[in-house]
């Protein structure tokens, strides 16, 4: 049924949202219930502080089934610091369908709204408010944790 909502769930986020004392060497992992479109890692960032903070350089790769995205920061995270995982609303599943993010709140997500965004990602011409980051009235989901 083409009108049915896309039910790809974000089944796990690691580090867990609101986690504290996260090891500074911990990779960031997103686990989806169905295969995603290759290249969707471009719509996942890690910010130091809140979503307007600096973007942490990372290397990201999908598992063979394109259901688990693992991103490893280029250098260890700063100690005793809040971080925000930003998953852009432009992510699509393996069929190119937009994701229904409403059910992601159950995994500890918070909507990213235009009032929170306030700018562009470093080094990106389109910025976080550009194509791929927005769907409807929101700019994806945010998940926060604090390093050890």
């Amino acid at each position: 049924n083409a009108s049915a909502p896309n039910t790809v769930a974000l089944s796990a986020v690691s580090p867990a949202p609101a986690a504290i004392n996260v090891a500074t060497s911990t990779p960031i992992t997103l686990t989806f219930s169905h295969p995603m479109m290759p290249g969707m890692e471009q719509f996942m960032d890690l910010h130091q502080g809140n979503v307007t903070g600096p973007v942490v350089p990372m290397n990201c790769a999908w598992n063979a089934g394109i259901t688990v995205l693992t991103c490893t920061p280029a250098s260890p995270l700063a100690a005793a610091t809040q971080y925000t995982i930003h998953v852009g609303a432009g992510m699509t599943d393996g069929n190119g369908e937009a994701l229904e993010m409403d059910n992601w709140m159950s995994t500890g997500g918070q909507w990213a709204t235009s009032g929170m965004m306030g700018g562009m990602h470093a080094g990106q011409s389109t910025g976080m408010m550009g194509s791929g980051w927005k769907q409807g009235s929101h700019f994806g989901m945010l998940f926060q944790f604090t390093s050890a």
Side-chain angles (χ1 to χ4, degrees), residues 30 33 70 83 93-94 100 109 113 116 148:
L30 304 176
S33 62
T70 301
Y83 286 89
D93 70 8
E100 176 55 60
T113 62
M116 295 175 175

Side-chain angles (χ1 to χ4, degrees), residues 108-124:
Q110 171 187 351
W111 288 115
T113 62
S114 61
M116 295 175 175
M117 305 307 281
M120 295 174 55
H121 283 146
Q124 290 185 331

Side-chain angles (χ1 to χ4, degrees), residues 6-139:
N6 186 317
T7 57
V8 172
L10 178 62
S11 52
V13 177
S14 178
I20 57 172
N21 295 321
V22 172
T24 58
S25 60
T26 299
I28 310 305
T29 306
L30 304 176
T31 304
F32 297 90
S33 62
H34 299 293
M36 299 292 288
M37 184 67 69
M40 290 298 101
E41 65 276 7
Q42 68 183 313
F43 301 120
M44 202 290 279
D45 276 338
L46 179 65
H47 297 266
Q48 188 172 355
N50 65 25
V51 73
T52 60
V55 175
V56 175
M58 296 186 299
N59 297 308
C60 297
W62 291 98
N63 70 342
I66 317 177
T67 56
V68 179
L69 178 62
T70 301
C71 297
T72 305
S75 53
L77 301 177
T81 301
Q82 178 183 299
Y83 286 89
T84 301
I85 300 167
H86 180 198
V87 182
M91 276 198 171
T92 59
D93 70 8
N95 296 320
E97 298 291 324
L99 304 182
E100 176 55 60
M101 292 182 154
D102 287 337
N103 62 2
W104 294 15
M105 305 234 356
S106 65
T107 59
Q110 171 187 351
W111 288 115
T113 62
S114 61
M116 295 175 175
M117 305 307 281
M120 295 174 55
H121 283 146
Q124 290 185 331
S125 59
T126 56
M128 338 181 241
M129 294 178 74
S131 174
W133 289 93
K134 185 176 185 202
Q135 179 186 89
S137 62
H138 65 88
F139 296 86

